Amino acid sequence: MSAPVLSVEAVSVDRGGRRVLHDVSLDVSAGQIVALLGPNGAGKTTLMDAITGRVPLAGGSVRVGGDDLATAPRACRRRIGYAGQEIAVFPTLTVTENVASWAAVSGVARAARTRAVDDVLRLLFLQDLAHRPVRELSGGERRRVHCAMAMVARPPVLLLDEPTVGVDPMTRSALLDHLTQLADGGTAVLYSTHYLHEVEKRAAVVVMLREGKVVASGQADELISRHCTSVIEMTVERGGETRTVVVPTSDAVTDLARLLDGLRADGDRLVGVEVRRPSLEDAFTHIVSTSEVAHGR
C-alpha cells in the first residue's frame, strides 16, 4: 500500500467543554475506499469536520497529501472534496449551474469544465434535471447535486458524510459505482454510512467509531470472521415432535456432514437445515455493544 494521502493521527476534539473525539487515527491511501461506521452520535460528522478544518483540534494532527492542516490549511483544503451531511446547494441556480460553479471554484480548467460537469451529472442520473432550479428538486435529488459538486473536480481526497441517505436504490448503486471509479483513478475516499450491506458488498476497509473512539478497523470480511461465527440451524423431528438445533461452526461442510450422521444414528428425521453466515451488521452490533478500546490498527 502506498503512503496515505489522508492521515489522521490521534485526533481529539472538544465541544462545549466535553471531549467528543478521543485519539482517533486512520489512514486513507490513493485508490482506497474507507467506510466510516458508527451509531448516531459516534463522532463521524465531527471527524470529517475536523479533517476539513471546520472544527479545531484539541490534539493530534491531520495531513493531506503530505501537508499538515495546522500549518498549511489552504493546501490541505484544496485537495479535499467534501459533501457534508447538511445539503449545501444554491437553490435558485440550476443543477448545471451549481455543479459548474463549484467546478470553477475547485480549479477545473475552463476547457475541461463542461465535460467534467456533464460526466458527473450523467453518472448520478442528474442529466434530465440539469436545467431545473435546485429549489424544485426533492431531498434525494438535492443530495445527488450536493455529491456531484464534491466529485466534479476529481479531488485527491473525497469525504462524503452519509451520501446515500434519502436516495433510491438505483441511484445509491450508481453513486457507489462512481466512488469505485474515482478510487480506481487514484482518489482516496472516506465516506460514512448506515447501509452496512453496501460496505460489505464492496469489500471496503472499515473504521468503526463508538462514543468518539475507534473500536475496530480492518477489511469488512476480516472483522466479520474475527467477531462472529456461522451457525448451522437444523429443524428435526422425532415421534411427531419437532425441535430446532443451533450449532456454531467454522467449517460448515464438515460439521453438517457430522451432524447428519448423528441424526441418522439417533433416528431423528431432518425437516430443514440452514447455514447462516454472519454479516457486517452482525459484526457491527457485536463490536459496538461490547468494545471499549481500539482494535485492529
Side-chain angles (χ1 to χ4, degrees):
M1 183 68 70
S2 59
V5 181
L6 172 64
S7 183
V8 177
E9 292 295 335
V11 162
S12 295
V13 171
D14 294 338
R15 275 185 171 166
R18 183 173 65 90
R19 182 139 297 184
V20 293
L21 284 184
H22 306 260
D23 297 323
V24 172
S25 296
L26 63 84
D27 293 330
V28 189
S29 298
Q32 187 178 40
I33 298 176
V34 175
L36 190 61
L37 309 180
N40 292 333
K44 303 184 294 297
T45 297
T46 300
L47 176 59
M48 292 199 178
D49 285 345
I51 292 170
T52 54
R54 285 168 168 78
V55 297
L57 306 187
S61 65
V62 174
R63 299 186 70 85
V64 185
D67 286 316
D68 193 308
L69 181 65
T71 57
R74 288 187 178 181
C76 290
R77 291 184 186 122
R78 278 198 301 267
R79 297 188 178 102
I80 297 175
Y82 181 39
Q85 198 170 57
E86 296 296 323
I87 298 174
V89 292
F90 302 104
T92 60
L93 299 184
T94 66
V95 171
T96 295
E97 289 168 341
N98 266 275
V99 179
S101 64
W102 198 252
V105 169
S106 302
V108 178
R110 184 183 297 272
R113 205 172 296 160
T114 299
R115 173 70 178 274
V117 171
D118 288 346
D119 283 348
V120 75
L121 295 187
R122 175 177 50 81
L123 289 164
L124 296 184
F125 301 134
L126 289 166
Q127 63 270 42
D128 291 341
L129 304 173
H131 303 296
R132 288 179 58 184
V134 169
R135 66 188 174 198
E136 297 179 2
L137 305 185
S138 69
E141 290 166 343
R142 292 186 188 195
R143 184 164 298 280
R144 283 150 57 192
V145 176
H146 183 53
C147 290
M149 293 166 69
M151 295 175 176
V152 66
R154 292 182 173 265
V157 177
L158 181 62
L159 306 181
L160 302 175
D161 193 2
E162 300 282 359
T164 57
V165 68
V167 300
D168 61 82
M170 186 173 69
T171 302
R172 183 181 302 134
S173 179
L175 175 59
L176 295 173
D177 287 344
H178 188 42
L179 289 186
T180 300
Q181 292 175 20
L182 290 173
D184 289 344
T187 298
V189 179
L190 175 66
Y191 86 106
S192 67
T193 183
H194 287 293
Y195 295 100
L196 274 63
H197 63 281
E198 72 190 23
V199 177
E200 184 177 353
K201 178 180 177 183
R202 292 167 192 272
V205 174
V206 170
V207 174
M208 292 188 188
L209 295 181
R210 174 185 177 228
E211 296 178 359
K213 300 176 183 178
V214 175
V215 293
S217 62
Q219 292 288 149
D221 56 351
E222 293 172 356
L223 293 177
I224 294 169
S225 62
R226 190 186 312 160
H227 294 278
C228 301
T229 303
S230 297
V231 297
I232 299 171
E233 184 175 297
M234 300 188 303
T235 302
V236 298
E237 185 269 334
R238 178 191 290 181
E241 294 187 359
T242 61
R243 59 192 176 93
T244 300
V245 178
V246 179
V247 180
T249 179
S250 58
D251 184 347
V253 174
T254 300
D255 289 342
L256 183 57
R258 176 179 55 81
L259 290 168
L260 292 176
D261 287 343
L263 284 179
R264 285 190 287 268
D266 293 341
D268 292 337
R269 183 176 71 86
L270 180 66
V271 177
V273 63
E274 178 184 5
V275 178
R276 290 196 283 112
R277 303 187 186 279
S279 65
L280 183 59
E281 184 172 346
D282 296 321
F284 173 83
T285 300
H286 173 79
I287 292 167
V288 169
S289 63
T290 62
S291 296
E292 303 230 355
V293 295
H295 293 285
R297 250 191 87 75

